[in-house]
Amino acid sequence: MAPSRRPVATASAVALGLAFAAPVGTIRHLIGVVASVLFGSFLLINSARGAMLSYLVCLLVPVLLLLPRVGPGRILLSRIQVTALFGLAGFLAYLLYAIGTGNMPYTVQRFLDLLGYIEHGGAAVRFERLSYWSRALEFWSRAPIFGNGIASFSSLYLSGLEIAGTQPHNIVLEILVDFGIVGLVLFTALLVVALRTVRLSQLLNDPTMLSIVLMFTSLFGVRAMTSDELAFQWDLFVALGLLTTAAYRTEPRPKSRETVAADRSGRHRPPA
């Protein structure tokens, strides 16, 4: 993902979170809507494929995670889902217009080029993701437990040379190549700690939590799996840190022994 598009793609998650969950008509809601439209237009017209995919993932998350309520003869959608569906409909309408008029946006054209590249055997090309992924599995099989060492992929791939950008373009494969199963287990533990207290009910009423979840989903599900190497995934770890701290913000503090004893003795009774 190009560096100039990276901040826009990351900020889009925050803007969409405000547009989805902030109270309608408030300053936060208006800022979220305007910023979401501006960011989405920029990413669609002149951006990288990963950045545009990150934006689309943010639109899809509320539709896929927040299940609609089914009532007698009707389906009830939350405001978040309706807003996300409108965003997806707008994207599809513009895409059909562009195809019909022949004015294909640069980002969409790059997606079409990628499909043609795969169709014509792109895995045989040396410096491409499909080749990187297949070779990463091969290098991991050489040292499956502890890996081959930090930033070892380029040296293995180029027979001792190191060229910038020669990396697996997938955080899981990179961890396996460098640190083996041990590294992947530790990274998985980090994900579990960060995500263990996230509840779907929070996403309906908490714009902050929704924005953080959208940010993490787009960064981990798209960019970390298809783009930057581990050393440049700093905003993914920022999102993990925010998820962890947000959990402590929403979790009630455990009562002390004195408070529990007082409650049992009836000295801390609620007012009538």
Side-chain angles (χ1 to χ4, degrees):
M1 186 183 299
S4 59
R5 280 79 169 181
R6 181 187 303 167
V8 177
T10 304
S12 297
V14 179
L16 287 169
L18 293 176
F20 289 154
V24 177
T26 61
I27 296 297
R28 289 191 302 165
H29 179 251
L30 295 177
I31 291 175
V33 171
V34 173
S36 297
V37 173
L38 292 177
F39 292 161
S41 301
F42 170 76
L43 294 175
L44 176 61
I45 294 172
N46 185 23
S47 178
R49 291 168 298 201
M52 187 68 251
L53 275 179
S54 297
Y55 190 87
L56 290 177
V57 166
C58 289
L59 288 175
L60 285 171
V61 166
V63 178
L64 298 177
L65 290 185
L66 303 175
L67 298 177
R69 291 175 296 171
V70 179
R74 59 179 179 173
I75 298 178
L76 302 177
L77 298 175
S78 66
R79 180 172 66 87
I80 296 176
Q81 292 170 309
V82 173
T83 306
L85 288 173
F86 267 109
L88 290 171
F91 173 83
L92 181 59
Y94 179 82
L95 185 60
L96 293 175
Y97 166 79
I99 294 175
T101 59
N103 297 320
M104 193 67 66
Y106 172 73
T107 311
V108 178
Q109 186 60 54
R110 291 199 65 195
F111 275 112
L112 297 178
D113 293 342
L114 175 63
L115 294 177
Y117 162 80
I118 295 175
E119 182 181 353
H120 291 88
V125 179
R126 189 176 185 186
F127 295 98
E128 274 295 346
R129 285 169 175 78
L130 298 178
S131 177
Y132 289 153
W133 294 343
S134 61
R135 296 299 301 278
L137 292 173
E138 175 189 338
F139 299 149
W140 168 56
S141 67
R142 299 179 185 178
I145 306 301
F146 296 104
N148 298 279
I150 298 175
S152 58
F153 181 85
S154 180
S155 178
L156 294 170
Y157 191 85
L158 300 173
S159 302
L161 299 177
E162 291 190 5
I163 298 179
T166 308
Q167 43 98 5
H169 290 77
N170 182 288
I171 193 171
V172 174
L173 292 177
E174 185 176 1
I175 290 174
L176 286 173
V177 172
D178 292 351
F179 309 108
I181 289 293
V182 172
L184 185 61
V185 168
L186 293 175
F187 180 68
T188 303
L190 178 64
L191 295 179
V192 171
V193 170
L195 297 171
R196 64 187 177 87
T197 58
V198 176
R199 300 291 182 268
L200 294 181
S201 58
Q202 292 177 278
L203 306 184
L204 289 170
N205 304 308
D206 191 343
T208 301
M209 178 60 77
L210 180 60
S211 297
I212 297 172
V213 170
L214 293 179
M215 185 188 303
F216 167 77
T217 305
S218 63
L219 290 172
F220 182 74
V222 178
R223 202 165 95 204
M225 292 300 178
T226 62
S227 185
D228 291 334
E229 59 185 314
L230 186 61
F232 296 101
Q233 297 283 357
W234 59 267
D235 36 6
L236 171 62
F237 291 97
V238 168
L240 288 173
L242 291 173
L243 282 172
T244 306
T245 55
Y248 288 102
R249 179 175 65 90
T250 57
E251 281 186 346
R253 291 186 177 182
K255 294 183 178 181
S256 63
R257 293 182 178 179
E258 292 77 8
T259 304
V260 173
D263 289 342
R264 289 177 177 176
S265 63
R267 287 180 294 176
H268 283 227
R269 293 178 179 176

